[in-house]
Amino acid sequence: MKLKTALITGVTGQDGSYLAELLLAKGYEVHGLIRRTALYPQSLQNIEHIKDKVQLHFGDLDYENNLSALIAELRPDEIYNLASQSDVRVSFDIPEYTGNVTGLGVLRILEAIRKFSPKSSFYQAGSSEMFGNSPPPQNEDTPMHPTSPYGVAKLYGYWITKSYRQNYNLFCANGILFNHESERRGLNFVTRKITRAIGQIIQGEDVQLYLGNLDAKRDWGYAPDYVEAMWLMLQHQEPDDFVIGTGETHSVQEFLELAFDYVGIDWQKYVQIDPNLFRPSDVHCLQADASKAKEILNWQPKTSFKELVGKMVDYAIIEARR
């Protein structure tokens, strides 16, 4: 029996690495798209333990020819687009690059699928940032008003995916994932900045943690739970769009307090607010209504907010000891 094949863009990232693990466990032949800069050891650390099981290919979403050639060659059963310029704050500094990769990169993949592999099922990683400041809770019918170049680029990817599904009868699904974190989260994200600082403090380092808006509220889940939802979307009989989240909302300060309380440290001794870390425009509150995914996909988050914070702090302490 022929193995199912999958292509993952952004395979070295948090979500890509967990998804690769999941698909390998299910018996898939897994291919991953990486940029040449991802050859540096620190860039490959998320997939170091499975690197020999994943077939890696060089490429980038800002260049159509290599994407088309790869998809034409592989004709994978499933394609998961998890690559993007995903730092919301940085998207204000490099809006053109963000739009090119995070937005138009989706179009390049869809065109390659349409031309060379129309039987491939396609998953597009949307974002709760597309909702902007629409009142919570947000679901599939909530109006989308993104406030950042990142959110706008993701919204383009979302709508072009729906367009190709409708116009070309392709199996294209959008996952509108709310914030999801893990031990593999990039160091530029606030949750890893906080937990990494705790690990350094535990090791006796002199640390000053600089943060921006502590009042922003997010719906935080655990990344391994969320990649299962991605897979479920492509196993569903009909392609559709799904909001994925926990339904709970917590402020950055709540995350900060819970993380420091976990190790019995007073966070106020180490944290300073840096105005330069505030975004020109911020989203105040994101809270998922994932009723549709629970009903249709039978998906449920397995990891609580408290458990998520504990996992990340434990990992940061181990990492700092290394």
Side-chain angles (χ1 to χ4, degrees), residues 122-136:
F122 175 67
Y123 170 84
Q124 165 58 17
S127 168
S128 57
E129 289 288 332
M130 299 187 301
F131 291 117
N133 282 313
S134 287

Side-chain angles (χ1 to χ4, degrees), residues 3 24 57 92 95 110 118 124 181 186 188 205 210 238 240 258 288:
L3 294 179
L24 287 169
H57 307 267
F92 287 97
L110 288 167
Q124 165 58 17
E181 317 295 316
N188 55 318
E205 296 183 38
Y210 295 93
E238 298 292 333
D240 207 343
L258 186 59

Side-chain angles (χ1 to χ4, degrees), residues 8 10-11 13-20 82 177 180 185 223 227 230:
I8 303 171
V11 72
Q14 169 189 259
D15 292 7
S17 62
Y18 284 121
L19 179 61
L82 310 184
L177 273 58
H180 47 291
R185 193 56 146 152
V227 299
M230 300 175 190

Side-chain angles (χ1 to χ4, degrees), residues 35-295:
R35 293 173 295 173
R36 288 197 177 274
T37 53
L39 279 180
Y40 295 116
Q42 64 269 29
S43 300
L44 291 174
Q45 64 183 4
N46 286 339
I47 61 167
E48 187 63 38
H49 59 299
I50 56 172
K51 191 172 61 176
D52 295 335
K53 300 176 182 178
V54 177
Q55 298 183 47
L56 300 177
H57 307 267
F58 291 120
D60 208 330
L61 298 192
D62 63 358
Y63 185 58
E64 181 178 357
N65 289 350
N66 63 347
L67 279 173
S68 295
L70 180 60
I71 289 171
E73 176 190 350
L74 296 177
R75 288 185 167 83
D77 297 291
E78 298 170 6
I79 299 174
Y80 297 86
N81 180 36
L82 310 184
S84 72
Q85 191 301 104
S86 57
D87 189 311
V88 178
R89 176 64 190 86
V90 169
S91 76
F92 287 97
D93 300 325
I94 49 172
E96 182 178 353
Y97 176 78
T98 301
N100 188 22
V101 173
T102 306
L104 288 176
V106 185
L107 173 63
R108 294 181 183 109
I109 296 174
L110 288 167
E111 269 293 278
I113 293 172
R114 181 182 72 83
K115 292 176 180 176
F116 304 112
S117 190
K119 292 184 179 180
S120 295
S121 298
F122 175 67
Y123 170 84
Q124 165 58 17
S127 168
S128 57
E129 289 288 332
M130 299 187 301
F131 291 117
N133 282 313
S134 287
Q138 295 99 358
N139 61 29
E140 295 81 4
D141 297 320
T142 301
M144 295 182 179
H145 302 291
T147 63
S148 66
Y150 170 77
V152 172
K154 278 292 186 185
L155 187 56
Y156 176 85
Y158 169 82
W159 277 110
I160 201 65
T161 298
K162 289 173 73 77
S163 174
Y164 271 65
R165 180 170 73 211
Q166 294 163 1
N167 293 325
Y168 301 113
N169 198 31
L170 300 177
F171 194 111
C172 300
N174 281 297
I176 309 171
L177 273 58
F178 281 60
N179 290 63
H180 47 291
E181 317 295 316
S182 76
E183 302 90 325
R184 300 178 190 173
R185 193 56 146 152
L187 292 174
N188 55 318
F189 290 88
V190 67
T191 53
R192 274 299 301 281
K193 287 177 69 175
I194 292 169
T195 53
R196 184 169 186 255
I198 290 172
Q200 293 170 325
I201 292 167
I202 293 291
Q203 285 300 104
E205 296 183 38
D206 184 16
V207 173
Q208 282 297 312
L209 176 59
Y210 295 93
L211 298 175
N213 181 13
L214 299 186
D215 296 325
K217 294 181 177 180
R218 296 293 184 265
D219 185 328
W220 273 307
Y222 190 45
D225 297 345
Y226 285 43
V227 299
E228 182 185 14
M230 300 175 190
W231 178 77
L232 287 170
M233 288 180 212
L234 296 197
Q235 313 318 305
H236 189 52
Q237 190 172 3
E238 298 292 333
D240 207 343
D241 308 319
F242 294 92
V243 161
I244 302 296
T246 69
E248 298 180 12
T249 184
H250 301 275
S251 68
V252 174
Q253 183 160 330
E254 285 180 76
F255 189 104
L256 178 67
E257 291 174 348
L258 186 59
F260 274 80
D261 286 348
Y262 185 79
V263 291
I265 297 174
D266 181 4
W267 67 270
Q268 296 187 69
K269 294 180 179 179
Y270 299 95
V271 174
Q272 293 190 34
I273 302 302
D274 183 353
N276 293 319
L277 295 177
F278 281 71
R279 300 170 184 172
S281 177
D282 205 351
V283 174
H284 304 305
C285 182
L286 294 171
Q287 182 181 11
D289 172 9
S291 303
K292 180 178 174 181
K294 292 175 181 178
E295 179 182 348

